[in-house]
Amino acid sequence: MAQHTEVDAPAGVLYGLIADALRWPVFLPPTVHVEQLEFDGESERLRMWVTANGEIKSWTTRRVLDPVAHRVDFRQEVLPWPTTSMGGSWTVEPRGPERSLVVLSNDFSVDGNARADVDWVKRATSANTRAALDNLRRLAERWRRLDDLVLSFEDTAFVDAPVEPVYDFLHRFGDRSDAVPGATGIDIAEHGPGVQLMTVELAGADGTARTTESVRIGFPHAGRIVYKDIRDTEQPALLAAHAGEWSVEPDLRGTGVTVVARHHAVLDEDGVRERYGDGADAVRLAREALRSRLARESSLALRLAREHAEGALARGV
């Protein structure tokens, strides 16, 4: 299976987006999270979590990167049933100084070759390939201003308590309906070991309703929860993509923990234009507003986590 798209951007820009798999959660819609397990400068092993036909799947893959040929070959090593093998390549062919052809090819085999299983894998692979190529094209064609549309930042708070109660609060976010500003309801459903789907109903200041859905992946032994927003009904949309992480880290002073809230986002250029106009300051204003909103949400969650953990410690729980 192979799909392609032509892009008005240099081949080097496209290769850079493809090679930077750790930023795929905000670059490519199907990717929820990526952990780099090994990297020697030419090849890498990745653990990936991806949406496929509405389900969350995880696998380990090895990639070989060739920046000269603008090519990335991949072969999955640990796969979810019923897939027994899968691999392929990304190739970028220059078609001019600022035009390129991107091809994503895949091959796979399925245990027993049952028609329903083959169709399921084929449907997921085709849909995810098309979504990845379409968004890659949108990002790459904004390459001159992409740095202004992408932002990352973090907020921290000290909590005078052990890791466990802080992580427990963040893991069971839905127990507090006030954990998200403006939320009228929070629901967390388990979708396999360590994987959650969090749905938040929000009431806007103008009376409009808004729904967000996020996939959350927990790493309790590392004190980490990573997440990605997969649905947001806000209109006009200010975010094209948003992913983040809660990290509970032992404090260097030897008592308590430092809780870090990390955010990675890509602005929706059409939403920015609709909300802030076409002026030279539109993107700057949108970045400031987005950072303020996300920081406000993080600060509330960090305060509640501190109250929960320090309160539990005081009660001897």
Side-chain angles (χ1 to χ4, degrees):
M1 297 176 59
Q3 295 188 50
H4 68 273
T5 187
E6 293 197 11
V7 185
D8 291 326
V13 169
L14 284 152
Y15 175 81
L17 295 173
I18 294 166
D20 193 0
L22 294 181
R23 292 212 285 179
W24 278 12
V26 290
F27 285 170
L28 304 184
T31 306
V32 174
H33 180 62
V34 179
E35 293 269 317
Q36 189 179 65
L37 306 178
E38 299 174 13
F39 181 58
D40 64 9
E42 295 181 358
S43 66
E44 62 183 350
R45 288 182 69 240
L46 304 171
R47 176 84 186 274
M48 309 181 72
W49 286 259
V50 175
T51 58
N53 292 339
E55 301 180 23
I56 309 300
K57 298 292 185 180
S58 178
W59 55 73
T60 302
T61 186
R62 182 171 292 279
R63 305 202 314 166
V64 178
L65 293 81
D66 187 341
V68 176
H70 298 135
R71 180 184 179 99
V72 177
D73 294 310
F74 57 90
R75 179 62 53 182
Q76 294 175 6
E77 297 180 338
V78 180
L79 286 157
W81 189 89
T83 314
T84 55
S85 71
M86 179 172 282
S89 64
W90 292 86
T91 58
V92 184
E93 301 174 12
R95 293 295 177 91
E98 294 188 7
R99 189 163 180 82
S100 306
L101 176 71
V102 185
V103 181
L104 175 53
S105 61
N106 293 275
D107 61 80
F108 66 86
S109 59
V110 172
D111 186 27
N113 283 323
R115 174 64 65 85
D117 293 336
V118 172
D119 288 347
W120 191 97
V121 176
K122 186 179 295 185
R123 188 167 67 253
T125 302
S126 178
N128 283 6
T129 296
R130 179 44 52 195
L133 287 171
D134 287 348
N135 211 60
L136 190 69
R137 174 177 50 77
R138 281 191 288 269
L139 288 171
E141 290 184 346
R142 292 162 170 78
W143 65 279
R144 288 188 175 86
R145 53 194 185 279
L146 189 58
D147 286 346
D148 293 329
L149 297 175
V150 177
L151 67 155
S152 296
F153 68 93
E154 64 181 42
D155 293 313
T156 63
F158 174 75
V159 180
D160 191 12
V163 170
E164 291 77 10
V166 181
Y167 182 89
D168 179 66
F169 174 84
L170 296 171
H171 177 72
R172 297 187 299 108
F173 220 52
D175 289 354
R176 292 287 299 258
S177 61
D178 60 347
V180 178
T184 58
I186 301 176
D187 178 72
I188 293 183
E190 300 289 333
H191 280 242
V195 179
Q196 300 173 324
L197 178 66
M198 185 170 81
T199 304
V200 180
E201 301 293 339
L202 296 145
D206 58 356
T208 58
R210 174 181 162 212
T211 301
T212 67
E213 288 182 348
S214 304
V215 175
R216 293 163 34 107
I217 302 164
F219 303 89
H221 296 298
R224 298 172 60 218
I225 297 172
V226 299
Y227 62 88
K228 177 179 176 175
D229 295 344
I230 59 171
R231 177 172 175 251
D232 191 338
T233 61
E234 180 183 32
Q235 292 296 329
L238 194 56
L239 279 169
H242 174 227
E245 175 181 345
W246 297 100
S247 180
V248 187
E249 304 169 1
D251 192 74
L252 296 178
R253 290 168 288 186
T255 61
V257 297
T258 298
V259 187
V260 185
R262 296 184 175 91
H263 294 278
H264 310 286
V266 178
L267 289 167
D268 183 294
E269 203 168 32
D270 293 334
V272 169
R273 188 177 300 110
E274 186 173 345
R275 192 174 300 188
Y276 295 99
D278 291 314
D281 290 335
V283 171
R284 178 183 61 80
L285 292 171
R287 287 174 65 93
E288 292 174 355
L290 178 60
R291 195 196 190 292
S292 177
R293 186 177 87 187
L294 294 176
R296 185 170 63 252
E297 294 174 358
S298 294
S299 296
L300 173 61
L302 291 171
R303 177 175 62 80
L304 293 176
R306 180 191 297 114
E307 292 175 358
H308 169 83
E310 293 180 353
L313 189 64
R315 295 190 302 271
V317 177

